[in-house]
Structures are given as structure tokens and as C-alpha cells.
Amino acid sequence: MSSLANLSLPNRRFALGLGLAGEGLKYFRYWIAAAVVLAFLGPLALSLSTEIELSTWFYTANVGKWFTAFVAGGFLYALVPNMIAAGLTRRELSAAMGVFGLLWSIAIGVLVFAGLLVERVFYDAMGWTQGIQLNDTITTLGSWGETAAFAAVYPLMYLAYFAAGAAIGAAAYRWEGSGWLLLVPVLPVVFSLDNALYDTEPFGPGWMGFLGRFMDDWGRAAVLAAIVAVALVLAVAARRILIDIPLRSKKA
Amino acid sequence: MSFSATLRDVTLKYRDTDALADVNLDLEAGKIYGLLGRNGAGKTSLLSLLAAFRKPTGGEVLVGGEPVWENAGIVSRVALIREGGDFDDSDSVKSTIETGQIRPAFDTAYALKLADRFELPLKKKVRELSRGKRSILAAICGLAARAELTMFDEVHLGMDAPTRDAFYKELLAEYMDRPHTVILSTHLIDEVANYLEEVVIVDKGRILRHEEVEVFQNMGATLTGPAAAVDAIAAGLEVLAEQQLGGTKSATVAALEPGTRERAAAAGLEIGPVGLQDLFIHLTEPNRNGA
């Protein structure tokens, strides 16, 4: 990691966070490029046989949430033994993960924001409708403002999914064999908020969105505030799990 | 500057089992220590506490006079290298070496020089390395850490004999160049005995002995000669180990008094120093069969 060269003790947690974001984006650059290309070429191919009335970037952006959670959990799971053995404290690692999460969420969020706006131009040029599926009906993003507002919440959603992934990754390392069970309380809450925000069917089994019924009447601002709160709680939980985590014994 | 290490009434439990119990240990700065013990004795647990890989269940662990737990100024200058290293297997060798730069004192140029000398393929993934090459990578990361307390936990197990020899020489050269505290945990006792200044023997989660190497070596002697003569001199002494081949016998005995030494010499017996490994086997109960 070139960003680690010549670092000093007080700033190394920030340099590491920056380096992780850079390395993460570099490592998955071909995956990200493939997703971008598919998001534009997909509707073009589909238009040969059907009328396009749904945003492909809506689906790409939602896959990005899972991807973000996977990156956070997978990286943290691998980094715990690696970084602590390299002389990092757990507090420094949690700070580095915070920087990583912020930068990653901003980078992927900006990409999705730009993708949805470019898609808007693309769809308008092709005479297609940029819509999202709401339960059984399709809602059209009627104006540029609606598209921008719809896209603007993705960085926050990615941050929430990153925090969820980090908490589950830390738990999976700490409680080998049973740590992944943290999925059970975390996923329904995150999915339900996600569901409430867009008022769409969540990804995954339908029951996971059950909490959404209690949020139907919430305003968008309240849901956004709840997402911020959940992201913070998950980040604190991940840090708490990490803060006194023991390194596992090496197996022969 | 090199670090001292202190454990005060330290206990480490894994669920209901005591890995370490009421351990008190003082290691002076700037020496090379051997950490010996049978499988499961608690060596790795002890090293894990010194490197803050684990938090003690009770007691206090000080390195350089300060608590080591979550102390960035200390842990960044402490290196514990476990067999096979704690690496991300999907990383390349070069990237793994560069990860060491998290330590401000890490010497990348030295690490790359050693990688070249030990013929480590920098572009290969860690998971593609043989056990021996992986051990070398771990050892290189430990040496290049330029830590004030460096601990190697069976790191040389996967290396072949010439590589182990080269590793010991490099370790000694680095130590002479930059005095610091080194702890070598190993089962290859006789191989490292000449490099050690003090030896700590851990047994059943407790410190059994902590002495200078000379003290261990003067704990007895090896008498070799005709069986009858050896038996006559060894009678009444504490015999640590015996070996007989035909009429020739060798007995390792504890505490050889000057008078007894003279009688042994007069009887034509060869008197040699007690081997650290023999002493270790004796001290850790030879009749107990470990893993």
C-alpha cells in the first residue's frame, strides 16, 4: 500500500483509511467498470425486444449496497489479524475503517448519483422512461429534480450498509462459527429503513422488510434521520466488538 | 533503545482453562531470550500478551515500562511473528512487505534486500508460497520491523536447515547492529542454544525456570565412559538422562560437586556440559507424553 510509506504514528490511522479506500476501489475497478457498462448497455439490448420504462441504475445502485456491505465485512475480517500483527491498535483500526467507510460510500455514492443523472440524459435521448418499481406499480421519476433527489440519498445508504457489513465482519472474526448470526438483528432493521425510504420491495426475503409497515407514515426526513442513527449505532457496535478483540491462535 | 518486558500476576483463561496462571516475569532490555516449553505449555499465550494480541484475564503486562494494551507508541515497536505469519493470503509478497510500513520504523529497503537474498518471489501471492517460503516471508517482516521487542514464535519451523542457519546469522547481525530485545520460542533447542543469553521455561501455564544460559549449563554435567565407572560416579547423584551403547554409557547428572568432578576425571570419564535440551526434557517431566 503505497499510501503507508513515510507515515508517522499520529496520522497512520487516517493514512491507512485513505489507503484502504484507494486499494479497495483499485482492487474492484474492473467489477465497477463492468457494472457501469452493463447499466448502460443492458437497457439498450433490452430495448430490441421490449419497451424500457425502468431505471437500470436503480438496480445497479441496489446491488452496490450489498457489495458495500460485503467489502466492509470482508476487508475487516481479513484486516483484524493482519493489522494488529503489524503493530496497529484496535482503536486505530476502527478509526481507519471509519475513514475507509466514509470515502468508499462517497465514491460509490457519487458514481451512482452521476450514473442516474447520465442515465436520465440517455433515457431522454432514447425516448424511454426512467422509472422505479414501487411494489406492483412503476413510478416515473418525472423531473431532473426527482432524479437528483432520488440519487442523493445513496451515499448515506452505502454508509449504513458499510457499517452493517463492518459490524457483521468484526463479529464473524470475534465469534468464529456464530458471529455471522448478528445478521439476524441487523438485516431487518437496515432493509426496513431502506424499504421505507424508497417505499419499494426490499431485496431478499419479503419478511425482512416487516418493520417497514411501522414506518409507512414516517416522512422522508424522519426515515433519513433514522438511517443516520442506525448507521451510527452500527458503527459504534462494530467498534465495540473490535476494541478488545483477541487474535485467534494459529492453526497448524 | 530496547524494551524490557514485565508480567505481574498475569492470568489468561480460555473459557474455563488457565492458559497462564499467576505468571510473574521480568525480562531486561537488550538481551536474547529463549522461551522453551512443551506443546500447550503457554509459550504462545505469553507472547500473545506481550504483543497485545490478547488481553490478560488478570494482572498487568508492561513493555518498556508501560502497559502494552492499546498503546500505539509501544505496539508499533513490538513485533510478534507467528509461524506462517499473519498475512492476507490474497496479497502479493511485495504488498505484504509494504504492509509492514504501518510501523514508522519499518525498513522496506532492508526487507526487499532480504527477500532478494532468500529468493522470495515478490509478485507471487502469499497463498502460492511453500511453507518454507512463507516462513521466510514472516521472518523477513519480523527483522525489517526494526522493533524494540521482537518475538519469533516457531517462525523457522518451515525452513530447511541452511535457511534456518542463514536466518539465525541474520538475526544475530541485526541484533549486533541494533541492540534490542529478542525472544525466540522454539522446540529446536540445541540449534538456538548458542545464541541465547537467558532461558525461560514455561510449563503448564507457569514459569518453571528463568535463568542465564550459563546457570542452566552449570546445573550438571554429562559423564561418558565405561558403564561401570559411570555408574560408580553417578551413584547418589540426580541422574537427568542416561544412554548406553554396548559397554559405553553416558549419564547426564545434576549438580556435579568439585570433588566428584575430580573423581570422575581420575576414573577416566569424559566430562561435558549438560545439554540444554536434556535439561529441558528432565525439567518438564520426561515421563509425561505430550502432543
Side-chain angles (χ1 to χ4, degrees), chain A residues 83 85 90-91 247-248 250, chain B residues 52-53 70 82 85 102-103:
Chain A
M83 292 293 119
R90 291 148 182 85
R91 281 189 179 84
L247 256 63
R248 287 183 194 160
K250 301 275 288 182
Chain B
F53 281 16
E70 286 296 277
R82 305 196 285 187
I102 284 174
R103 301 175 190 278

Side-chain angles (χ1 to χ4, degrees), chain B residues 21-228:
Chain B
D22 300 322
V23 169
N24 286 286
L25 181 66
D26 282 301
L27 302 179
E28 286 175 36
K31 290 185 174 178
I32 302 182
Y33 295 87
L35 181 63
L36 312 181
R38 301 186 67 179
N39 291 331
K43 304 186 296 295
T44 298
S45 296
L46 194 153
L47 296 179
S48 295
L49 295 178
L50 288 174
F53 281 16
R54 286 182 175 275
K55 195 175 185 179
T57 312
E60 200 177 20
V61 181
L62 306 174
V63 172
E66 294 182 35
V68 69
W69 183 255
E70 286 296 277
N71 187 334
I74 298 293
V75 293
S76 62
R77 294 190 286 163
V78 172
L80 167 56
I81 310 299
R82 305 196 285 187
E83 195 213 344
D86 287 280
F87 305 133
D88 180 349
D89 286 5
S90 63
D91 269 350
S92 68
V93 169
K94 186 167 184 281
S95 174
T96 299
I97 287 174
E98 286 172 350
T99 299
Q101 293 170 343
I102 284 174
R103 301 175 190 278
F106 189 83
D107 190 338
T108 309
Y110 176 53
L112 293 173
K113 191 185 94 180
L114 289 177
D116 183 50
R117 185 177 148 199
F118 286 99
E119 298 175 350
L120 264 188
L122 292 178
K123 289 182 180 171
K124 260 196 175 181
K125 300 276 186 197
V126 172
R127 63 168 166 258
E128 294 167 353
L129 297 178
S130 65
R131 188 184 180 203
K133 289 290 184 195
R134 201 182 160 108
S135 295
I136 292 167
L137 175 61
I140 286 173
C141 290
L143 290 168
R146 304 288 200 197
E148 308 304 336
L149 168 61
T150 308
M151 298 172 278
F152 293 99
D153 187 9
E154 302 284 5
V155 74
H156 45 285
L157 270 190
M159 301 177 194
D160 58 26
T163 309
R164 285 203 303 275
D165 185 58
F167 164 64
Y168 298 141
K169 283 176 178 157
E170 191 59 45
L171 175 68
L172 199 59
E174 216 265 318
Y175 175 76
M176 299 302 283
D177 185 45
R178 189 186 61 86
H180 58 291
T181 310
V182 177
I183 304 177
L184 284 173
S185 169
T186 183
H187 290 298
L188 303 174
I189 297 169
D190 284 341
E191 216 173 85
V192 299
N194 289 338
Y195 299 98
L196 306 178
E197 294 172 77
E198 292 187 19
V199 171
V200 178
I201 299 179
V202 184
D203 193 43
K204 297 177 186 171
R206 294 172 192 275
I207 305 296
L208 190 65
R209 294 281 177 110
H210 173 202
E211 307 281 2
E212 291 180 358
V213 168
E214 289 77 17
V215 173
F216 277 108
Q217 286 171 336
N218 291 332
M219 278 182 178
T222 303
L223 308 173
T224 308

Side-chain angles (χ1 to χ4, degrees), chain B residues 223 233 259-271:
Chain B
L223 308 173
I233 298 295
T260 314
R261 189 176 284 269
E262 282 171 19
R263 281 199 299 125
L269 299 185
E270 191 181 314
I271 305 170

